[in-house]
Amino acid sequence: MPFIDLRSDTVTQPTPQMRQAMAAAPVGDDVFGEDPTVCELEARVAALLGKEAALFVVSGTMANQLAIWTQARPGDEVIVGREAHVAVYETGAAAALAGVQMSYVGEDGLFTAEDVSRAIRPLHDYSPRTSLVALENTHNRSGGRVFSLESCRAIALVARQGGLAAHLDGARLWNASVKSGVPVQDFAAPFDTVSVCFSKGLGAPVGSALAGSRDLIREARRRRKMLGGGMRQAGILAAAALYALEHHRERLRLDHEAAHAFAARLARTPGISVEPAAVETNIVNLAVSEGMAPHIAARARELGVLVSAIQPSLLRAVTHLDVSKAEVLQAAEVLERVAVELAPRS
């Protein structure tokens, strides 16, 4: 049985045209700096983000952790939003690799410059040094929420005034840009480093990039090699990312529209709580009765719909280029039926 898969925007398959671009890509040894397609991608990303250089890496986790590792020392503290990807989904890598601890600020994924200012520790012999603030835009766990450009600028300014570096986890920065109308370069400008992903909303099979100054990216490249991330004929993968950048960015608005329609359909369903106006991009969080999320997800799977139970009482659905708006609404209809079927009987 074919599934309507709304677990994540990472589940997409390369399109036939993307596969053609991959097959035709000129390649070389990237560890020697000789893969022309990787070089083209890195130059393209650096230009898009307004940075001096960029580095192609296998995942958003690697990009984020290289940013932390190159800008913080062991024993330092990194300020992040609550439920940030770098803290929840990256297997404790910041502690294991960079030796840093996290300081959590804000609510519902977002935080303010004032939150950062309060979290910066005074310099004492007995406290960790606050060295970096990391902001995630869009914020995954809160439902794809967008940090405004004004907030990004204010947070980065406070960081700079406090002697901190600033990193932007922009795995879905493409979504934030399409939603807000703000160019990605403007979002990236206040930050020392920026990570972007090609295998989420853009639909490439593999890959992210880290952008920043030439010196920082040179050091990140060395540390990528330390992690075993030095790739050889990686142009085959870089070609997919280049194709996605060229052809899949503007269509993200279709995913946003489908997500809003999905939420609007389910907002009327007993046992499911969702506010359509709060759905900003392509991620929809559905609050359900206590402990029911795994049961609803399991039953929906039996009926051909895949969603994620990210908490005992919270489901997540993510729209993407492999599901049409009609399929998304079909999935909403299935979840309606399941919610009614599994509702507690009085």
Side-chain angles (χ1 to χ4, degrees):
M1 177 179 64
F3 288 104
I4 299 174
D5 194 343
L6 300 178
R7 290 172 298 172
S8 176
D9 47 8
T10 62
V11 301
T12 57
Q13 296 289 309
T15 65
Q17 296 84 356
M18 183 181 286
R19 290 177 185 270
Q20 290 172 10
M22 295 169 72
V27 298
D29 192 319
D30 181 50
V31 173
F32 293 155
E34 296 174 355
D35 191 299
T37 310
V38 171
C39 292
E40 180 184 352
L41 174 64
E42 290 174 342
R44 174 90 167 115
V45 170
L48 275 172
L49 299 177
K51 302 300 182 187
E52 291 180 345
L55 177 67
F56 184 44
V57 297
V58 297
S59 69
T61 293
M62 183 177 281
N64 287 334
Q65 294 305 320
L66 287 172
I68 293 171
W69 198 12
T70 54
Q71 296 179 100
R73 300 179 303 200
D76 284 359
E77 191 167 66
V78 177
I79 298 171
V80 299
R82 297 188 193 282
E83 299 288 288
H85 193 281
V86 294
V88 176
Y89 289 124
E90 300 187 8
T91 65
L97 299 176
V100 300
Q101 64 187 36
M102 302 292 188
S103 174
Y104 300 98
V105 296
E107 297 294 337
D108 297 323
L110 304 188
F111 57 91
T112 66
E114 290 73 23
D115 292 328
V116 174
S117 182
R118 287 192 294 268
I120 299 174
R121 294 184 186 272
L123 288 175
H124 293 301
D125 291 341
Y126 49 81
S127 64
R129 182 186 73 141
T130 311
S131 60
L132 177 68
V133 58
L135 181 156
E136 182 184 350
N137 202 11
T138 67
H139 191 278
N140 180 346
R141 293 274 289 186
S142 68
R145 298 184 69 189
V146 178
F147 272 89
S148 70
L149 180 60
E150 293 74 20
S151 293
C152 290
R153 286 172 171 167
I155 288 166
L157 177 61
V158 165
R160 191 159 289 108
Q161 290 171 340
L164 280 63
H167 171 62
L168 173 59
D169 174 0
R172 293 181 176 87
L173 189 61
W174 321 111
N175 295 84
S177 176
V178 167
K179 171 64 178 178
S180 64
V182 174
V184 290
Q185 182 170 334
D186 290 354
F187 271 129
F191 296 91
D192 298 287
T193 52
V194 184
S195 65
V196 290
C197 188
F198 312 115
S199 64
K200 295 186 174 69
L202 296 190
V206 175
S208 289
L210 178 68
S213 69
R214 286 190 182 87
D215 288 345
L216 194 148
I217 296 302
R218 185 180 301 112
E219 179 61 20
R221 186 179 298 276
R222 188 179 76 88
R223 297 188 186 211
R224 182 189 71 171
K225 179 66 173 171
M226 292 171 68
L227 295 175
M231 297 177 282
R232 299 298 177 174
Q233 287 71 36
I236 293 170
L237 301 176
L242 281 166
Y243 184 90
L245 284 174
E246 185 66 28
H247 297 281
H248 291 172
R249 280 191 293 158
E250 285 304 314
R251 64 149 310 281
L252 290 172
R253 68 182 71 255
L254 301 177
D255 297 339
H256 300 174
E257 291 169 3
H260 188 273
F262 178 83
R265 174 67 184 264
L266 288 169
R268 305 187 297 268
T269 303
I272 293 179
S273 178
V274 60
E275 177 50 61
V279 176
E280 298 182 36
T281 53
N282 68 322
I283 301 175
V284 183
N285 285 341
L286 305 170
V288 298
S289 301
E290 185 63 35
M292 288 302 297
H295 301 290
I296 293 173
R299 179 60 179 142
R301 185 185 187 97
E302 292 174 355
L303 299 175
V305 173
L306 302 181
V307 292
S308 299
I310 61 172
Q311 293 179 20
S313 302
L314 194 66
L315 295 165
R316 185 183 78 161
V318 187
T319 55
H320 52 80
L321 63 84
D322 277 5
V323 289
S324 66
K325 186 175 180 180
E327 289 172 317
V328 167
L329 291 175
Q330 182 182 341
E333 181 181 348
V334 168
L335 287 172
E336 272 185 321
R337 289 164 47 200
V338 172
V340 171
E341 176 187 322
L342 299 182
R345 300 289 185 254
S346 58

